[in-house]
Amino acid sequence: MQSPGVRGLALPLLLLLPTQGPARGAARFAPTWESLDRRQLPAWFDQAKFGIFIHWGVFSVPSFGSEWFWWYWQKEKIQKFVDFMKNNYPPGFKYEDFGPLFTAKFFDANQWADLFQASGAKYVVLTSKHHEGFTLWGSEYSWNWNAVDEGPMRDIVKELEVAIRTSTDLRFGLYYSLFEWFHPLFLDDQSSSFQKRQFPVSKMLPELYELVDKYQPEVLWADGDGGAPDGYWNSTGFLAWLYNESPVWDTVVTNDRWGAGSICKHGGYYTCSDRYNPGHLLPHKWENCMTIDKLSWGYRRNAGIWDYLTTGELVKQLVQTVSCGGNLLMNIGPTQDGTISPIFEERLRQMGAWLQVNGEAIYETNTWRSQNDTLTPDVWYTAKPKEKLVYAMFLKWPTSGQLILGQPKATLGSTEVKLLGHGQPLKWTSLEVQNGIGVELPHLTPHQMPCKWGWALALTNVM
C-alpha cells in the first residue's frame, strides 16, 4: 500500500497545521503505516469498554429505510425508496430540500449528555458528517450544506462537545466520512481512477484539520473511503500530524477505515466490518460497532418493535465483546427534531442499570486465558490480574440453582466466590470428574435479583 507522506498537500493545508509539538521525549511518527501502526493505543480506550454511537443528519428527515436513503433513492433507484418519495413529496423535490426540514428544534445537548452518562458508556461518537456531506458544524469547506447555515442554524458538534465535557466523565468523539456520494470533485476524481486528488486537497483534508483543531475529539472514527486507496486520501500524512502535532496527539484514538484495503489491517483499533463480533480473542484491539435497530444506523419511522435488539441481546453483545478483548460501540439514531425515541432511551438506561451492578466485571478488565466456558454455554470471562480476580458472567440463571464452571481451577481455603450485587460469599465445590467448580447460587425471588439480563460472579484466587 502506497505511503504518500505529505505529498500532495496544498500549501494552504500545510499552513493549517499548528506549530506546537508534543511533549519532549514523545515518539514522533513518520507518515507511513509501518511507523503509525507502532503507536501504542492510549490506555483509556481499552479501559472504557463501552461507547455510544450517534447517527444523525439530513437522512433523519425522511427517516425511511436507512441512512443511505439518498443513495438508494437517487443512485440505485430502489423501488420502495422511489415510491416513498413519489407518495409523500411533490414532483421535483430534491434531497437538498430535506436540509431546511432538519430542524433539531427539540435538541438539548444537556439532556443527551445526561442520558449517555446514565447508560454507563465511557465515550460517545457523533456523526459530524455522513456520506451525504452535510456537516453538523459550520464547516468553512461545506458552504450552505451544514447545520449552521441550513436547518438547525446551530453548531450541533459544539453544543454536544460542551455538554459532554462539562457534565459527564465521557470522552468526546467524532465520526467523519472521508468521501461524499455526489460531490462533483469526488466524482471527477473517481472518473480519473483517483489520479486526480481535487476532493481530498480542497475539501476532505482541510475539513478534517478544522474539525480536530476546533473540537479536539478523542475518538476520530473515519469511514467511507469510496473505493479510493489511502494514498488518495493522504491518510498517513494526516495521521502523522494527528499523532505528532494535533491538540489531541497523546489521547486521541482512531480506527482502521482510512482507505481501501486498510480496514482490519492499519490504523489504531480495528473495526473490520459493521457489527463485527468474532466470538474469539484477537491479537489487536478491536471494536464492535453495532446498532440497536437491526436494520439501520439512522432513525427509521417504519421500524417495528421486533426490529430492535432487546436489552438482554445488548447485554450479551457487551459481555461477548469485552471477554474477547473488544469495545462495544452501540448506535442510536435520533429523530430530525433532535429527540431520542423512548425505545432507545429505555435501552440505554437499562444498560446503565445493568452496568451499575456489573460494571466491575466490564470496565478496566483484561481478557482471561479462556474467553468462554467449556461446560456451560453463555458464560464469558474477564479478569483483573492485579486484584487476583476472575469474573464469570452468565446469561442464564440455572434452574438447578448450581452454576457449573469448567474453566476455573479453585483452591480450598483460598478461593472465594461472590455474586456482584449480592455480596455474600457463595458455597462452591470442586468438580469430581474434571477441572472446574460448581457454585451454589443464592435462592432469590425475582425482586431480590441484583439485576436482570445477566449476572456476574467475582472469583478470587483461581487459576
Side-chain angles (χ1 to χ4, degrees), residues 144-175:
N144 219 32
W145 191 233
N146 67 74
V148 174
D149 294 334
E150 185 85 289
M153 306 291 186
R154 299 161 66 178
D155 187 338
I156 300 294
V157 174
K158 186 65 178 176
E159 289 184 37
L160 188 60
E161 182 229 340
V162 170
I164 291 292
R165 287 186 163 143
T166 56
S167 62
T168 78
D169 60 2
L170 279 74
R171 306 271 183 160
F172 181 71
L174 292 170
Y175 164 110

PDB file of all heavy atoms in Angstrom, residues 144-175:
ATOM      1  N   ASN A 144     -23.130  26.319   2.851  1.00  0.00           N
ATOM      2  CA  ASN A 144     -24.578  26.200   2.721  1.00  0.00           C
ATOM      3  C   ASN A 144     -25.097  24.755   2.801  1.00  0.00           C
ATOM      4  O   ASN A 144     -26.252  24.498   2.510  1.00  0.00           O
ATOM      5  CB  ASN A 144     -25.059  26.821   1.399  1.00  0.00           C
ATOM      6  CG  ASN A 144     -26.371  27.565   1.596  1.00  0.00           C
ATOM      7  OD1 ASN A 144     -26.620  28.123   2.655  1.00  0.00           O
ATOM      8  ND2 ASN A 144     -27.215  27.558   0.581  1.00  0.00           N
ATOM      9  N   TRP A 145     -24.237  23.832   3.183  1.00  0.00           N
ATOM     10  CA  TRP A 145     -24.669  22.445   3.395  1.00  0.00           C
ATOM     11  C   TRP A 145     -24.108  21.998   4.734  1.00  0.00           C
ATOM     12  O   TRP A 145     -23.358  21.056   4.863  1.00  0.00           O
ATOM     13  CB  TRP A 145     -24.187  21.562   2.235  1.00  0.00           C
ATOM     14  CG  TRP A 145     -24.770  20.170   2.178  1.00  0.00           C
ATOM     15  CD1 TRP A 145     -24.058  19.006   2.110  1.00  0.00           C
ATOM     16  CD2 TRP A 145     -26.150  19.770   2.150  1.00  0.00           C
ATOM     17  NE1 TRP A 145     -24.905  17.919   2.059  1.00  0.00           N
ATOM     18  CE2 TRP A 145     -26.201  18.354   2.080  1.00  0.00           C
ATOM     19  CE3 TRP A 145     -27.358  20.478   2.207  1.00  0.00           C
ATOM     20  CZ2 TRP A 145     -27.402  17.640   2.051  1.00  0.00           C
ATOM     21  CZ3 TRP A 145     -28.557  19.763   2.173  1.00  0.00           C
ATOM     22  CH2 TRP A 145     -28.575  18.372   2.099  1.00  0.00           C
ATOM     23  N   ASN A 146     -24.493  22.771   5.760  1.00  0.00           N
ATOM     24  CA  ASN A 146     -24.040  22.499   7.120  1.00  0.00           C
ATOM     25  C   ASN A 146     -25.083  22.999   8.103  1.00  0.00           C
ATOM     26  O   ASN A 146     -25.957  23.794   7.752  1.00  0.00           O
ATOM     27  CB  ASN A 146     -22.675  23.151   7.377  1.00  0.00           C
ATOM     28  CG  ASN A 146     -22.728  24.653   7.376  1.00  0.00           C
ATOM     29  OD1 ASN A 146     -23.225  25.271   8.323  1.00  0.00           O
ATOM     30  ND2 ASN A 146     -22.215  25.293   6.317  1.00  0.00           N
ATOM     31  N   ALA A 147     -24.988  22.541   9.353  1.00  0.00           N
ATOM     32  CA  ALA A 147     -26.038  22.785  10.342  1.00  0.00           C
ATOM     33  C   ALA A 147     -26.103  24.225  10.828  1.00  0.00           C
ATOM     34  O   ALA A 147     -27.094  24.623  11.449  1.00  0.00           O
ATOM     35  CB  ALA A 147     -25.839  21.850  11.540  1.00  0.00           C
ATOM     36  N   VAL A 148     -25.071  25.029  10.564  1.00  0.00           N
ATOM     37  CA  VAL A 148     -25.105  26.433  10.974  1.00  0.00           C
ATOM     38  C   VAL A 148     -25.796  27.290   9.916  1.00  0.00           C
ATOM     39  O   VAL A 148     -26.525  28.240  10.235  1.00  0.00           O
ATOM     40  CB  VAL A 148     -23.676  26.944  11.267  1.00  0.00           C
ATOM     41  CG1 VAL A 148     -23.671  28.444  11.543  1.00  0.00           C
ATOM     42  CG2 VAL A 148     -23.086  26.188  12.456  1.00  0.00           C
ATOM     43  N   ASP A 149     -25.607  26.947   8.649  1.00  0.00           N
ATOM     44  CA  ASP A 149     -26.214  27.714   7.554  1.00  0.00           C
ATOM     45  C   ASP A 149     -27.576  27.190   7.132  1.00  0.00           C
ATOM     46  O   ASP A 149     -28.344  27.893   6.478  1.00  0.00           O
ATOM     47  CB  ASP A 149     -25.297  27.685   6.319  1.00  0.00           C
ATOM     48  CG  ASP A 149     -23.979  28.412   6.542  1.00  0.00           C
ATOM     49  OD1 ASP A 149     -23.949  29.315   7.397  1.00  0.00           O
ATOM     50  OD2 ASP A 149     -22.995  28.060   5.880  1.00  0.00           O
ATOM     51  N   GLU A 150     -27.894  25.959   7.465  1.00  0.00           N
ATOM     52  CA  GLU A 150     -29.094  25.292   6.965  1.00  0.00           C
ATOM     53  C   GLU A 150     -29.729  24.471   8.066  1.00  0.00           C
ATOM     54  O   GLU A 150     -29.040  23.911   8.917  1.00  0.00           O
ATOM     55  CB  GLU A 150     -28.683  24.355   5.817  1.00  0.00           C
ATOM     56  CG  GLU A 150     -29.808  23.661   5.092  1.00  0.00           C
ATOM     57  CD  GLU A 150     -30.415  24.488   3.993  1.00  0.00           C
ATOM     58  OE1 GLU A 150     -31.115  25.484   4.318  1.00  0.00           O
ATOM     59  OE2 GLU A 150     -30.185  24.172   2.810  1.00  0.00           O
ATOM     60  N   GLY A 151     -31.045  24.396   8.091  1.00  0.00           N
ATOM     61  CA  GLY A 151     -31.725  23.522   9.050  1.00  0.00           C
ATOM     62  C   GLY A 151     -31.679  24.046  10.472  1.00  0.00           C
ATOM     63  O   GLY A 151     -32.320  25.060  10.796  1.00  0.00           O
ATOM     64  N   PRO A 152     -30.901  23.413  11.351  1.00  0.00           N
ATOM     65  CA  PRO A 152     -30.893  23.820  12.764  1.00  0.00           C
ATOM     66  C   PRO A 152     -30.409  25.248  12.997  1.00  0.00           C
ATOM     67  O   PRO A 152     -30.814  25.892  13.965  1.00  0.00           O
ATOM     68  CB  PRO A 152     -29.917  22.824  13.410  1.00  0.00           C
ATOM     69  CG  PRO A 152     -29.881  21.655  12.499  1.00  0.00           C
ATOM     70  CD  PRO A 152     -30.079  22.204  11.116  1.00  0.00           C
ATOM     71  N   MET A 153     -29.513  25.733  12.127  1.00  0.00           N
ATOM     72  CA  MET A 153     -28.844  27.029  12.316  1.00  0.00           C
ATOM     73  C   MET A 153     -28.100  27.046  13.655  1.00  0.00           C
ATOM     74  O   MET A 153     -28.063  28.044  14.367  1.00  0.00           O
ATOM     75  CB  MET A 153     -29.857  28.203  12.272  1.00  0.00           C
ATOM     76  CG  MET A 153     -30.718  28.234  11.043  1.00  0.00           C
ATOM     77  SD  MET A 153     -29.780  28.629   9.563  1.00  0.00           S
ATOM     78  CE  MET A 153     -31.087  28.765   8.355  1.00  0.00           C
ATOM     79  N   ARG A 154     -27.493  25.899  13.992  1.00  0.00           N
ATOM     80  CA  ARG A 154     -26.769  25.737  15.257  1.00  0.00           C
ATOM     81  C   ARG A 154     -25.537  24.890  15.022  1.00  0.00           C
ATOM     82  O   ARG A 154     -25.521  24.037  14.129  1.00  0.00           O
ATOM     83  CB  ARG A 154     -27.659  25.032  16.298  1.00  0.00           C
ATOM     84  CG  ARG A 154     -28.911  25.772  16.655  1.00  0.00           C
ATOM     85  CD  ARG A 154     -29.954  24.876  17.311  1.00  0.00           C
ATOM     86  NE  ARG A 154     -29.555  24.361  18.622  1.00  0.00           N
ATOM     87  CZ  ARG A 154     -30.345  23.602  19.374  1.00  0.00           C
ATOM     88  NH1 ARG A 154     -31.559  23.258  18.952  1.00  0.00           N
ATOM     89  NH2 ARG A 154     -29.927  23.185  20.549  1.00  0.00           N
ATOM     90  N   ASP A 155     -24.537  25.101  15.850  1.00  0.00           N
ATOM     91  CA  ASP A 155     -23.343  24.257  15.818  1.00  0.00           C
ATOM     92  C   ASP A 155     -23.600  23.057  16.722  1.00  0.00           C
ATOM     93  O   ASP A 155     -23.338  23.099  17.925  1.00  0.00           O
ATOM     94  CB  ASP A 155     -22.118  25.048  16.286  1.00  0.00           C
ATOM     95  CG  ASP A 155     -20.810  24.276  16.118  1.00  0.00           C
ATOM     96  OD1 ASP A 155     -20.863  23.030  16.039  1.00  0.00           O
ATOM     97  OD2 ASP A 155     -19.740  24.910  16.080  1.00  0.00           O
ATOM     98  N   ILE A 156     -24.122  21.992  16.112  1.00  0.00           N
ATOM     99  CA  ILE A 156     -24.506  20.793  16.856  1.00  0.00           C
ATOM    100  C   ILE A 156     -23.284  20.158  17.527  1.00  0.00           C
ATOM    101  O   ILE A 156     -23.339  19.732  18.686  1.00  0.00           O
ATOM    102  CB  ILE A 156     -25.177  19.774  15.915  1.00  0.00           C
ATOM    103  CG1 ILE A 156     -26.446  20.369  15.274  1.00  0.00           C
ATOM    104  CG2 ILE A 156     -25.477  18.477  16.644  1.00  0.00           C
ATOM    105  CD1 ILE A 156     -27.559  20.661  16.224  1.00  0.00           C
ATOM    106  N   VAL A 157     -22.184  20.083  16.782  1.00  0.00           N
ATOM    107  CA  VAL A 157     -20.973  19.452  17.323  1.00  0.00           C
ATOM    108  C   VAL A 157     -20.517  20.186  18.577  1.00  0.00           C
ATOM    109  O   VAL A 157     -20.201  19.563  19.601  1.00  0.00           O
ATOM    110  CB  VAL A 157     -19.854  19.413  16.268  1.00  0.00           C
ATOM    111  CG1 VAL A 157     -18.556  18.883  16.880  1.00  0.00           C
ATOM    112  CG2 VAL A 157     -20.258  18.543  15.082  1.00  0.00           C
ATOM    113  N   LYS A 158     -20.487  21.512  18.515  1.00  0.00           N
ATOM    114  CA  LYS A 158     -20.018  22.305  19.662  1.00  0.00           C
ATOM    115  C   LYS A 158     -20.933  22.123  20.867  1.00  0.00           C
ATOM    116  O   LYS A 158     -20.458  21.946  21.997  1.00  0.00           O
ATOM    117  CB  LYS A 158     -19.942  23.787  19.285  1.00  0.00           C
ATOM    118  CG  LYS A 158     -19.326  24.660  20.369  1.00  0.00           C
ATOM    119  CD  LYS A 158     -17.866  24.294  20.580  1.00  0.00           C
ATOM    120  CE  LYS A 158     -17.183  25.162  21.609  1.00  0.00           C
ATOM    121  NZ  LYS A 158     -15.786  24.719  21.851  1.00  0.00           N
ATOM    122  N   GLU A 159     -22.228  22.169  20.635  1.00  0.00           N
ATOM    123  CA  GLU A 159     -23.170  22.047  21.754  1.00  0.00           C
ATOM    124  C   GLU A 159     -23.003  20.704  22.469  1.00  0.00           C
ATOM    125  O   GLU A 159     -23.002  20.648  23.702  1.00  0.00           O
ATOM    126  CB  GLU A 159     -24.606  22.217  21.261  1.00  0.00           C
ATOM    127  CG  GLU A 159     -24.937  23.654  20.855  1.00  0.00           C
ATOM    128  CD  GLU A 159     -26.397  23.819  20.462  1.00  0.00           C
ATOM    129  OE1 GLU A 159     -27.273  23.177  21.085  1.00  0.00           O
ATOM    130  OE2 GLU A 159     -26.663  24.597  19.532  1.00  0.00           O
ATOM    131  N   LEU A 160     -22.875  19.630  21.690  1.00  0.00           N
ATOM    132  CA  LEU A 160     -22.724  18.317  22.330  1.00  0.00           C
ATOM    133  C   LEU A 160     -21.360  18.186  22.990  1.00  0.00           C
ATOM    134  O   LEU A 160     -21.252  17.638  24.093  1.00  0.00           O
ATOM    135  CB  LEU A 160     -22.933  17.199  21.317  1.00  0.00           C
ATOM    136  CG  LEU A 160     -22.981  15.793  21.928  1.00  0.00           C
ATOM    137  CD1 LEU A 160     -24.118  15.661  22.944  1.00  0.00           C
ATOM    138  CD2 LEU A 160     -23.111  14.721  20.848  1.00  0.00           C
ATOM    139  N   GLU A 161     -20.320  18.699  22.338  1.00  0.00           N
ATOM    140  CA  GLU A 161     -18.980  18.644  22.926  1.00  0.00           C
ATOM    141  C   GLU A 161     -18.950  19.325  24.297  1.00  0.00           C
ATOM    142  O   GLU A 161     -18.432  18.775  25.278  1.00  0.00           O
ATOM    143  CB  GLU A 161     -17.972  19.312  21.995  1.00  0.00           C
ATOM    144  CG  GLU A 161     -16.539  19.269  22.498  1.00  0.00           C
ATOM    145  CD  GLU A 161     -15.820  20.614  22.446  1.00  0.00           C
ATOM    146  OE1 GLU A 161     -16.256  21.504  21.702  1.00  0.00           O
ATOM    147  OE2 GLU A 161     -14.818  20.769  23.170  1.00  0.00           O
ATOM    148  N   VAL A 162     -19.527  20.524  24.369  1.00  0.00           N
ATOM    149  CA  VAL A 162     -19.532  21.267  25.634  1.00  0.00           C
ATOM    150  C   VAL A 162     -20.319  20.510  26.701  1.00  0.00           C
ATOM    151  O   VAL A 162     -19.877  20.379  27.853  1.00  0.00           O
ATOM    152  CB  VAL A 162     -20.110  22.684  25.420  1.00  0.00           C
ATOM    153  CG1 VAL A 162     -20.360  23.375  26.761  1.00  0.00           C
ATOM    154  CG2 VAL A 162     -19.162  23.521  24.565  1.00  0.00           C
ATOM    155  N   ALA A 163     -21.484  19.993  26.327  1.00  0.00           N
ATOM    156  CA  ALA A 163     -22.313  19.266  27.304  1.00  0.00           C
ATOM    157  C   ALA A 163     -21.612  18.017  27.818  1.00  0.00           C
ATOM    158  O   ALA A 163     -21.619  17.742  29.023  1.00  0.00           O
ATOM    159  CB  ALA A 163     -23.653  18.902  26.670  1.00  0.00           C
ATOM    160  N   ILE A 164     -21.002  17.267  26.915  1.00  0.00           N
ATOM    161  CA  ILE A 164     -20.316  16.029  27.311  1.00  0.00           C
ATOM    162  C   ILE A 164     -19.146  16.354  28.239  1.00  0.00           C
ATOM    163  O   ILE A 164     -18.934  15.701  29.271  1.00  0.00           O
ATOM    164  CB  ILE A 164     -19.823  15.256  26.072  1.00  0.00           C
ATOM    165  CG1 ILE A 164     -21.004  14.690  25.273  1.00  0.00           C
ATOM    166  CG2 ILE A 164     -18.841  14.148  26.462  1.00  0.00           C
ATOM    167  CD1 ILE A 164     -21.774  13.600  25.957  1.00  0.00           C
ATOM    168  N   ARG A 165     -18.387  17.384  27.893  1.00  0.00           N
ATOM    169  CA  ARG A 165     -17.158  17.665  28.639  1.00  0.00           C
ATOM    170  C   ARG A 165     -17.399  18.419  29.940  1.00  0.00           C
ATOM    171  O   ARG A 165     -16.554  18.358  30.840  1.00  0.00           O
ATOM    172  CB  ARG A 165     -16.177  18.430  27.743  1.00  0.00           C
ATOM    173  CG  ARG A 165     -15.571  17.517  26.681  1.00  0.00           C
ATOM    174  CD  ARG A 165     -14.507  18.151  25.854  1.00  0.00           C
ATOM    175  NE  ARG A 165     -13.720  17.121  25.161  1.00  0.00           N
ATOM    176  CZ  ARG A 165     -13.234  17.237  23.940  1.00  0.00           C
ATOM    177  NH1 ARG A 165     -13.430  18.345  23.245  1.00  0.00           N
ATOM    178  NH2 ARG A 165     -12.543  16.252  23.399  1.00  0.00           N
ATOM    179  N   THR A 166     -18.522  19.085  30.077  1.00  0.00           N
ATOM    180  CA  THR A 166     -18.769  19.834  31.308  1.00  0.00           C
ATOM    181  C   THR A 166     -19.626  19.069  32.310  1.00  0.00           C
ATOM    182  O   THR A 166     -19.529  19.321  33.508  1.00  0.00           O
ATOM    183  CB  THR A 166     -19.447  21.189  31.014  1.00  0.00           C
ATOM    184  OG1 THR A 166     -20.662  20.967  30.285  1.00  0.00           O
ATOM    185  CG2 THR A 166     -18.531  22.097  30.216  1.00  0.00           C
ATOM    186  N   SER A 167     -20.446  18.109  31.842  1.00  0.00           N
ATOM    187  CA  SER A 167     -21.375  17.474  32.790  1.00  0.00           C
ATOM    188  C   SER A 167     -21.273  15.958  32.848  1.00  0.00           C
ATOM    189  O   SER A 167     -22.090  15.319  33.516  1.00  0.00           O
ATOM    190  CB  SER A 167     -22.821  17.875  32.447  1.00  0.00           C
ATOM    191  OG  SER A 167     -23.176  17.431  31.146  1.00  0.00           O
ATOM    192  N   THR A 168     -20.307  15.354  32.134  1.00  0.00           N
ATOM    193  CA  THR A 168     -20.147  13.894  32.213  1.00  0.00           C
ATOM    194  C   THR A 168     -18.664  13.546  32.325  1.00  0.00           C
ATOM    195  O   THR A 168     -17.799  14.407  32.179  1.00  0.00           O
ATOM    196  CB  THR A 168     -20.705  13.176  30.961  1.00  0.00           C
ATOM    197  OG1 THR A 168     -19.773  13.300  29.876  1.00  0.00           O
ATOM    198  CG2 THR A 168     -22.052  13.750  30.534  1.00  0.00           C
ATOM    199  N   ASP A 169     -18.389  12.261  32.538  1.00  0.00           N
ATOM    200  CA  ASP A 169     -17.000  11.798  32.516  1.00  0.00           C
ATOM    201  C   ASP A 169     -16.702  11.035  31.230  1.00  0.00           C
ATOM    202  O   ASP A 169     -15.725  10.294  31.147  1.00  0.00           O
ATOM    203  CB  ASP A 169     -16.697  10.935  33.750  1.00  0.00           C
ATOM    204  CG  ASP A 169     -17.585   9.691  33.833  1.00  0.00           C
ATOM    205  OD1 ASP A 169     -18.414   9.463  32.911  1.00  0.00           O
ATOM    206  OD2 ASP A 169     -17.453   8.923  34.805  1.00  0.00           O
ATOM    207  N   LEU A 170     -17.554  11.196  30.206  1.00  0.00           N
ATOM    208  CA  LEU A 170     -17.354  10.517  28.935  1.00  0.00           C
ATOM    209  C   LEU A 170     -16.303  11.235  28.098  1.00  0.00           C
ATOM    210  O   LEU A 170     -16.111  12.449  28.216  1.00  0.00           O
ATOM    211  CB  LEU A 170     -18.656  10.460  28.121  1.00  0.00           C
ATOM    212  CG  LEU A 170     -19.670   9.364  28.479  1.00  0.00           C
ATOM    213  CD1 LEU A 170     -20.387   9.678  29.773  1.00  0.00           C
ATOM    214  CD2 LEU A 170     -20.682   9.189  27.347  1.00  0.00           C
ATOM    215  N   ARG A 171     -15.627  10.487  27.232  1.00  0.00           N
ATOM    216  CA  ARG A 171     -14.742  11.065  26.226  1.00  0.00           C
ATOM    217  C   ARG A 171     -15.583  11.425  25.002  1.00  0.00           C
ATOM    218  O   ARG A 171     -16.506  10.695  24.632  1.00  0.00           O
ATOM    219  CB  ARG A 171     -13.657  10.063  25.826  1.00  0.00           C
ATOM    220  CG  ARG A 171     -12.856   9.509  26.996  1.00  0.00           C
ATOM    221  CD  ARG A 171     -11.660  10.353  27.320  1.00  0.00           C
ATOM    222  NE  ARG A 171     -10.873   9.767  28.399  1.00  0.00           N
ATOM    223  CZ  ARG A 171      -9.597  10.066  28.627  1.00  0.00           C
ATOM    224  NH1 ARG A 171      -8.959  10.926  27.838  1.00  0.00           N
ATOM    225  NH2 ARG A 171      -8.945   9.524  29.644  1.00  0.00           N
ATOM    226  N   PHE A 172     -15.218  12.532  24.355  1.00  0.00           N
ATOM    227  CA  PHE A 172     -15.980  13.019  23.206  1.00  0.00           C
ATOM    228  C   PHE A 172     -15.306  12.605  21.907  1.00  0.00           C
ATOM    229  O   PHE A 172     -14.111  12.837  21.715  1.00  0.00           O
ATOM    230  CB  PHE A 172     -16.092  14.545  23.269  1.00  0.00           C
ATOM    231  CG  PHE A 172     -16.874  15.150  22.130  1.00  0.00           C
ATOM    232  CD1 PHE A 172     -18.243  14.985  22.053  1.00  0.00           C
ATOM    233  CD2 PHE A 172     -16.230  15.875  21.132  1.00  0.00           C
ATOM    234  CE1 PHE A 172     -18.968  15.536  21.005  1.00  0.00           C
ATOM    235  CE2 PHE A 172     -16.943  16.445  20.088  1.00  0.00           C
ATOM    236  CZ  PHE A 172     -18.316  16.265  20.018  1.00  0.00           C
ATOM    237  N   GLY A 173     -16.070  11.979  21.007  1.00  0.00           N
ATOM    238  CA  GLY A 173     -15.515  11.523  19.748  1.00  0.00           C
ATOM    239  C   GLY A 173     -16.382  11.917  18.568  1.00  0.00           C
ATOM    240  O   GLY A 173     -17.573  12.220  18.713  1.00  0.00           O
ATOM    241  N   LEU A 174     -15.775  11.897  17.381  1.00  0.00           N
ATOM    242  CA  LEU A 174     -16.475  12.269  16.164  1.00  0.00           C
ATOM    243  C   LEU A 174     -16.218  11.267  15.045  1.00  0.00           C
ATOM    244  O   LEU A 174     -15.085  10.835  14.832  1.00  0.00           O
ATOM    245  CB  LEU A 174     -16.042  13.665  15.692  1.00  0.00           C
ATOM    246  CG  LEU A 174     -16.452  14.828  16.587  1.00  0.00           C
ATOM    247  CD1 LEU A 174     -15.770  16.113  16.154  1.00  0.00           C
ATOM    248  CD2 LEU A 174     -17.975  15.005  16.612  1.00  0.00           C
ATOM    249  N   TYR A 175     -17.289  10.918  14.367  1.00  0.00           N
ATOM    250  CA  TYR A 175     -17.252  10.146  13.122  1.00  0.00           C
ATOM    251  C   TYR A 175     -17.123  11.135  11.972  1.00  0.00           C
ATOM    252  O   TYR A 175     -17.721  12.226  12.000  1.00  0.00           O
ATOM    253  CB  TYR A 175     -18.548   9.354  13.015  1.00  0.00           C
ATOM    254  CG  TYR A 175     -18.889   8.786  11.650  1.00  0.00           C
ATOM    255  CD1 TYR A 175     -18.829   7.416  11.409  1.00  0.00           C
ATOM    256  CD2 TYR A 175     -19.332   9.611  10.614  1.00  0.00           C
ATOM    257  CE1 TYR A 175     -19.179   6.887  10.167  1.00  0.00           C
ATOM    258  CE2 TYR A 175     -19.674   9.093   9.371  1.00  0.00           C
ATOM    259  CZ  TYR A 175     -19.595   7.731   9.155  1.00  0.00           C
ATOM    260  OH  TYR A 175     -19.945   7.219   7.930  1.00  0.00           O
TER     261      TYR A 175
END
